[in-house]
Amino acid sequence: MVEAARQKDEGTGTLLRRFGEETGRSPLAHLQASRVRRARHLLETTDRTVAAIAATVGYQDPGTFAALFARHTGHRPYAYRTAFRRMAGTAGTAGTVEPVTATRQVTARQDGVAGRRTGGG
């Protein structure tokens, strides 16, 4: 972000503010959501281990990845895969696992989960 700010000849704070205005979230939140989206796809379409998927999407620590994944989806990675496959098997087509509700996200934030830095980034 600092390099991008230099190239645009504006401060990092301005760039972060503009990013937030355009996307509705911070660059970190955007990156994490992108990684979780990719992980969901890999959990749905491959038999790779959770540790391998964590590494593929950019997390060295599978535990950090699993906690972030659960915060975004409401399911731990293995449970997500199991539920997805169960739904896909009964529907005969690719199923989807119900994402975490807005109420649950708010509760997690109130518990301080969303505000904690998880690293592995």
Side-chain angles (χ1 to χ4, degrees), residues 84-95:
F84 177 85
R85 290 186 175 170
R86 183 174 38 243
M87 291 176 69
T90 59
T93 61

Side-chain angles (χ1 to χ4, degrees), residues 73-119:
T73 66
H75 304 277
R76 302 288 285 183
Y78 185 79
Y80 177 89
R81 173 183 273 160
T82 302
F84 177 85
R85 290 186 175 170
R86 183 174 38 243
M87 291 176 69
T90 59
T93 61
T96 58
V97 177
E98 196 62 34
V100 66
T101 63
T103 304
R104 187 167 175 174
Q105 287 175 345
V106 169
T107 303
R109 284 193 193 102
Q110 289 170 345
D111 292 342
V113 174
R116 260 190 267 152
R117 190 156 190 192
T118 57

Side-chain angles (χ1 to χ4, degrees), residues 5-117:
R6 279 192 204 124
Q7 289 177 359
K8 291 194 60 82
D9 197 32
E10 56 187 39
T12 304
T14 300
L15 186 61
L16 291 172
R17 180 179 49 77
R18 288 186 183 186
F19 188 93
E21 289 171 354
E22 290 294 319
T23 65
R25 56 188 168 185
S26 72
L28 178 60
H30 182 77
L31 175 63
Q32 289 174 338
S34 177
R35 287 175 170 177
V36 167
R37 192 170 41 255
R38 175 73 175 138
R40 285 177 60 190
H41 173 75
L42 292 171
L43 287 164
E44 293 168 6
T45 62
T46 73
D47 289 324
R48 293 163 114 180
T49 65
V50 171
I53 291 172
T56 298
V57 300
Y59 290 92
Q60 294 176 352
D61 178 24
T64 298
F65 161 72
L68 176 78
F69 188 90
R71 193 167 70 231
H72 279 258
T73 66
H75 304 277
R76 302 288 285 183
Y78 185 79
Y80 177 89
R81 173 183 273 160
T82 302
F84 177 85
R85 290 186 175 170
R86 183 174 38 243
M87 291 176 69
T90 59
T93 61
T96 58
V97 177
E98 196 62 34
V100 66
T101 63
T103 304
R104 187 167 175 174
Q105 287 175 345
V106 169
T107 303
R109 284 193 193 102
Q110 289 170 345
D111 292 342
V113 174
R116 260 190 267 152
R117 190 156 190 192

